[in-house]
Amino acid sequence: MAKKPSDEHEQEGGGKIGGKIATREADYPQWYQDVIREAELAEPAKVVKGCMVIKPHGYAIWEKIQRDLDARFKATGHKNAYFPVLIPQSFITKEAEHVEGFAPELAVVTHAGGEKLEEPYVIRPTSETIIGYYFSKWIESYRDLPLLVNQWANVMRWEKRTRMFLRTTEFLWQEGHTAHATHEDGLAEVQRMLGVYGDFAEEVMAMPVIRGEKTASEKFAGALTSMCIEALMQDGKALQAGTSHDLGQNFGRAFDVQFQTEAGALDYVWQTSWGVSTRLIGGLIMTHSDDAGLVLPPRMAPIHAVIVPIFRSEEEHAAVLVAAERIKAALSDLDIAPPRARYRDFIEVVVDDRPIRPGAKFYEWERRGVPVRIELGPKDLAKGQVCVKMRVDTAAGSGKEFVSEAEFIATFTARLATFQAELLRLARERMRAREVTLDTWDEFLATFAGDKSTFAWCHWDGTAETEARIKEETKVTIRCIPLPGQGPDPQPGVCIRSGRPSPRRVLMAKAY
RNA sequence: CGGGGCGUAGCGCAGUCUGGUAGCGCGUUCGGUUCGGGACCGAAAAGUCGGAGGUUCGAAUCCUCUCGCCCCGACCA
């Protein structure tokens, strides 16, 4: 049976000829990879196992993430610093739970300069240890506290199984590390930064999240507790999108980070750490994108609008280009940074004057996630209008609209804001539509049968045994114990698995 | 790291069973006609068939090893 390679996708609404994108329905993991390839976000490094090359369009998204988060960190009093990528191996072993958690995934440098090293270095999987070491040197008194630093860095974890952006051997992230005089202060910091992450996810990435606390078995290795934001992907799986840890005095003790209290006594500092990574880009893709390719909210888009000139004669071409450049210039002056942002976010416009047909350009820019397309032809020039098409039909615009050039420019910022809000609204709607409240084990098994998953609010007896049992039987994990205001109001009930008393429902799902 | 699948031109694939020195679609380059949703005609460039070794007169094809990717598991941002 001679099946033409292109047949299967062409029938499924996508109809791609050049770049093929599987449908989410047909093959979700393939779709994810296709979107990354076709939007030119990244590619597998190939020559280095488990690593990826983040291409310019993908890195530009990371830069957007960095810029906004960095401003938020500065606004909360944090300062950037940078610590070595290599950590003496002995450092890692100083905190018992930390070693246990990270030992299996360490890459170790044993030779350098042509000689075997006396003590090997590990490539940082995270920097609690080496930062603990420096904190012990920098902190002497309560007057030195709180100490609030952040570092933008790469880290390496030798994972068994990698997926582009979601889990790669090397990834980019930021790790905040703070030291406080009291546990109370530390806890406040943990919550504050979780709040920053939650706000960022929703306001900037238009990615709705559930804020909560990790169970003991899911928390960071070496932390007292971990807080997290969890996002729901379109296939129903959960993605841990950010974490904020209360390290207590664990690393303080391990690295002897002591300070003199106001009363003159000596005490160990209370530390926190918190981070988000390039994984956010994976979450961004799986939150908004569709079968035609990447969809980006304006605040994440490296390119906000593309102008496609339409013409027949050279005279028309020249006239259209003049208008296109005029519009581009006008839009480029607009700044869509949030009201009190400490940075500016100017509109980026591309005039696509390549000598190929307009239709081909439409598809290409759609694949790459550009929010707004402007078609500009002789008829438009005659009427002083532009033809506008949004990447997804929403209240910001649907189908092709014809708007006067002046009005289009005057309302462009509002159009993007509406589009941004609409993407968040749509994502929230999807989440709400998928959220379920389950009370019986039969319902639970049906909900998570096969590779199905969703956000399920269920009662849990609070024991690690039950949690492990559920995971073993269904692959479902407790994503978090929700914070106040997240999920259903706390009501006592009985555990969905054990039938024992439960104080409240927790969020369960299969996870990336 | 276990099970399965796969690596052939930039992308998607055929060819592998049954060895004979590489092909298709799209893309790319050049010329022309086109141009408001993936154009058409003509010409052309592009592959050490993932890598190494072996069998053979001859290997994309058979054998061994190795690297990498994808899916499912165990482990994790």
Side-chain angles (χ1 to χ4, degrees):
Chain A
M1 186 160 64
K3 189 185 75 164
K4 275 183 290 180
S6 57
D7 277 1
E8 59 187 70
H9 295 314
E10 282 183 353
Q11 291 164 0
E12 289 164 348
K16 306 308 171 302
I17 295 170
K20 272 193 293 192
I21 300 177
T23 62
R24 288 161 291 180
E25 172 85 36
D27 190 342
Y28 194 84
Q30 185 64 50
W31 167 82
Y32 177 71
Q33 292 177 74
D34 289 346
V35 170
I36 291 171
R37 185 189 67 243
E38 292 302 321
E40 298 176 273
L41 300 179
E43 63 184 57
K46 294 275 191 182
V47 291
V48 187
K49 185 179 168 65
C51 292
M52 65 175 168
V53 175
I54 304 176
K55 301 169 86 170
H57 199 231
Y59 198 82
I61 294 173
W62 180 238
E63 288 178 313
K64 293 267 178 180
I65 292 172
Q66 284 185 300
R67 185 176 56 177
D68 190 274
L69 277 177
D70 199 65
R72 288 174 194 257
F73 298 158
K74 302 276 171 57
T76 43
H78 301 85
K79 291 191 164 62
N80 284 331
Y82 188 81
F83 298 85
V85 68
L86 298 178
I87 298 175
Q89 192 168 42
S90 60
F91 279 25
I92 300 288
T93 64
K94 290 197 177 184
E95 209 287 331
E97 205 176 295
H98 194 66
V99 206
E100 201 187 320
F102 283 104
E105 45 192 63
L106 295 178
V108 184
V109 179
T110 58
H111 292 70
E115 289 174 23
K116 187 164 191 278
L117 294 169
E118 208 163 295
E119 184 190 345
Y121 293 116
V122 303
I123 299 174
R124 67 178 159 223
T126 180
S127 303
E128 274 74 10
T129 59
I130 196 162
I131 289 179
Y133 173 78
Y134 287 102
F135 274 16
S136 73
K137 303 172 75 125
W138 296 348
I139 297 168
E140 290 186 76
S141 124
Y142 71 94
R143 294 180 197 277
D144 297 324
L145 300 175
L147 180 54
L148 310 174
V149 304
N150 175 65
Q151 106 166 328
W152 289 96
N154 57 337
V155 288
M156 184 164 271
R157 298 179 184 178
W158 217 262
E159 302 287 354
K160 303 293 186 200
R161 188 176 169 195
T162 56
R163 288 163 183 261
M164 299 253 273
F165 289 113
L166 300 175
R167 177 167 297 103
T168 46
T169 300
E170 180 190 19
F171 57 95
L172 305 182
W173 78 347
Q174 58 70 214
E175 44 181 326
H177 293 270
T178 68
H180 307 264
T182 66
H183 195 197
E184 201 183 0
D185 289 352
L187 280 171
E189 172 76 358
V190 169
Q191 298 210 12
R192 176 167 70 151
M193 299 321 288
L194 189 81
V196 166
Y197 287 154
D199 291 348
F200 169 79
E202 295 181 343
E203 292 169 11
V204 181
M205 296 179 65
M207 180 172 77
V209 293
I210 303 290
R211 299 146 175 86
E213 184 177 328
K214 285 293 183 191
T215 62
S217 52
E218 295 274 337
K219 72 177 173 59
F220 176 76
L224 260 34
T225 57
S226 291
M227 312 277 282
C228 63
I229 53 173
E230 294 283 328
L232 178 63
M233 302 295 100
Q234 291 184 49
D235 61 349
K237 287 191 183 170
L239 183 77
Q240 178 176 309
T243 48
S244 184
H245 314 292
D246 170 20
L247 302 178
Q249 293 178 306
N250 291 348
F251 288 90
R253 280 194 210 92
F255 288 90
D256 197 34
V257 192
Q258 295 198 81
F259 71 102
Q260 235 174 0
T261 66
E262 252 181 291
L266 217 50
D267 196 7
Y268 292 109
V269 296
W270 297 84
Q271 286 174 257
T272 81
S273 69
W274 27 273
V276 297
S277 70
T278 34
R279 164 179 269 197
L280 285 176
I281 297 174
L284 186 67
I285 295 165
M286 289 195 287
T287 297
H288 303 296
S289 301
D290 59 24
D291 291 347
L294 188 66
V295 173
L296 292 173
R299 293 202 190 292
M300 284 281 100
I303 298 167
H304 303 92
V306 58
I307 302 177
V308 178
I310 310 289
F311 55 88
R312 285 167 193 272
S313 67
E314 267 318 301
E315 295 71 48
E316 285 176 348
H317 187 184
V320 166
L321 273 189
V322 168
E325 291 299 339
R326 180 176 68 228
I327 293 167
K328 174 180 174 176
L331 295 181
S332 299
D333 283 337
L334 301 174
D335 178 3
I336 61 164
R340 282 171 301 152
R342 296 173 179 212
Y343 62 88
R344 306 192 75 178
D345 192 8
F346 289 112
I347 295 299
E348 195 65 40
V349 180
V350 168
V351 176
D352 187 353
D353 191 38
R354 290 174 301 167
I356 56 177
R357 293 173 56 107
K361 298 178 184 177
F362 299 164
Y363 283 106
E364 181 176 325
W365 292 109
E366 275 168 13
R367 285 198 297 270
R368 304 191 76 197
V370 175
V372 185
R373 179 177 85 226
I374 301 147
E375 295 172 34
L376 201 60
K379 292 176 194 166
D380 302 309
L381 296 196
K383 297 179 189 170
Q385 69 181 20
V386 297
C387 172
V388 187
K389 175 79 176 68
M390 303 302 290
R391 175 60 181 79
V392 224
D393 286 346
T394 65
S398 72
K400 290 187 182 181
E401 306 164 67
F402 295 88
V403 190
S404 82
E405 181 182 325
E407 186 194 341
F408 174 72
I409 291 166
T411 59
F412 188 76
T413 303
R415 175 183 290 271
L416 288 189
T418 305
F419 189 64
Q420 174 90 26
E422 279 290 283
L423 289 187
L424 177 60
R425 186 183 66 78
L426 288 172
R428 278 194 168 130
E429 239 168 46
R430 274 195 299 274
M431 188 193 272
R432 213 167 290 132
R434 281 175 170 273
E435 270 179 307
V436 292
T437 303
L438 303 177
D439 287 303
T440 70
W441 187 242
D442 281 347
E443 285 179 311
F444 190 93
L445 290 176
T447 301
F448 291 106
D451 60 357
K452 284 200 294 182
S453 178
T454 194
F455 269 9
W457 295 100
C458 308
H459 279 292
W460 167 56
D461 63 21
T463 68
E465 291 70 41
T466 301
E467 184 183 13
R469 193 167 163 194
I470 292 172
K471 184 176 179 183
E472 201 174 305
E473 292 172 350
T474 64
K475 314 300 172 210
V476 175
T477 52
I478 298 173
R479 301 318 305 156
C480 67
I481 302 156
L483 291 183
Q486 305 284 300
D489 288 336
Q491 297 280 343
V494 295
C495 175
I496 194 153
R497 186 68 191 86
S498 71
R500 290 193 290 224
S502 154
R504 61 162 315 138
R505 289 176 192 276
V506 297
L507 180 63
M508 297 197 185
K510 289 174 187 166
Y512 275 101

